[in-house]
Amino acid sequence: GAIAGSFVISLYFFVQVLQEGALGEGVFHRLVGYVWLPSPISGTQIEISLQIDNLSALMLVLVSFLSMLIAIYSLGYMHEEEGKPRYYAEISLFVAGMLGTVSADNFLQLLIFWEIMGLCSYLLIGFWYHKPEAAAAAKKAFLVTRVGDVLFLIGVLIIWNQFGTLRFEEIAGKVGLVSPEVL
């Protein structure tokens, strides 16, 4: 039900973006959340906010629709399995991670939701943990993704150091100001 609700809300956002002329020009909305990491330096705090633009509106619809289809299919697939509550909790958290990833407003928020998806991937790959091959596959996936996640974190720190912000919109405005030697 919650995944279907996210699909309906995503469709609403998508229709709103289309009505604002998304096919002819860029549409950008920032739904401000709250200050997550305050800072004494003006304009450098980290906020949890959502970004709704042409691409994120489309991706929200796509992710929520496919997730809804997967959840419906898995009702029949998992009907005789033990651990169904754990499976659906993991799937729901995975969907939340994907929706958060495509609507993130800044790189730190993107990294956090990416990590949530990585955790859920590990949990879902190892769902049948009593099978040695499933447990080994989950460990392998976890270790391989940690390498990319550490590099992702390093990239976020470099972006913070270079631009003084992690918000996509502010970085896009500052990219032209970076000297070619730095790039």
Side-chain angles (χ1 to χ4, degrees):
I3 296 173
S6 71
F7 176 61
V8 170
I9 293 169
S10 298
L11 276 177
Y12 172 76
F13 284 147
F14 185 67
V15 169
Q16 293 299 313
V17 167
L18 284 178
Q19 288 177 346
E20 290 185 31
L23 298 177
E25 60 186 56
V27 175
F28 179 86
H29 291 286
R30 183 169 183 252
L31 305 172
V32 179
Y34 63 92
V35 175
W36 184 46
L37 296 172
S39 172
I41 303 169
S42 176
T44 59
Q45 71 263 6
I46 308 242
E47 299 173 340
I48 301 272
S49 300
L50 300 178
Q51 177 175 311
I52 305 296
D53 58 8
N54 301 13
L55 181 59
S56 65
L58 176 65
M59 292 305 295
L60 284 170
V61 170
L62 183 65
V63 166
S64 59
F65 178 68
L66 292 176
S67 299
M68 184 177 64
L69 291 180
I70 290 167
I72 291 169
Y73 173 77
S74 65
L75 287 172
Y77 184 77
M78 298 293 291
H79 79 280
E80 292 183 9
E81 293 293 330
E82 292 180 18
K84 281 190 293 189
R86 178 172 53 94
Y87 172 78
Y88 286 108
E90 292 168 1
I91 285 287
S92 297
L93 187 60
F94 189 78
V95 171
M98 286 191 293
L99 292 172
T101 298
V102 299
S103 62
D105 174 61
N106 60 68
F107 279 104
L108 182 60
Q109 192 173 335
L110 178 69
L111 176 63
I112 290 168
F113 283 112
W114 185 260
E115 289 298 326
I116 289 171
M117 288 191 331
L119 169 67
C120 293
S121 295
Y122 164 74
L123 294 172
L124 288 166
I125 291 169
F127 179 76
W128 288 286
Y129 57 87
H130 56 276
K131 296 180 180 178
E133 58 273 4
K139 283 184 224 172
K140 182 179 178 181
F142 181 79
L143 293 174
V144 168
T145 57
R146 289 310 76 152
V147 174
D149 294 343
V150 167
L151 294 174
F152 191 177
L153 176 60
I154 291 169
V156 169
L157 294 173
I158 291 170
I159 288 170
W160 175 263
N161 187 46
Q162 185 66 39
F163 295 102
T165 184
L166 293 175
R167 285 195 46 223
F168 301 142
E169 184 181 26
E170 292 176 7
I171 292 169
K174 293 180 178 182
V175 167
L177 303 175
V178 177
S179 65
E181 296 84 32
V182 175
L183 295 175

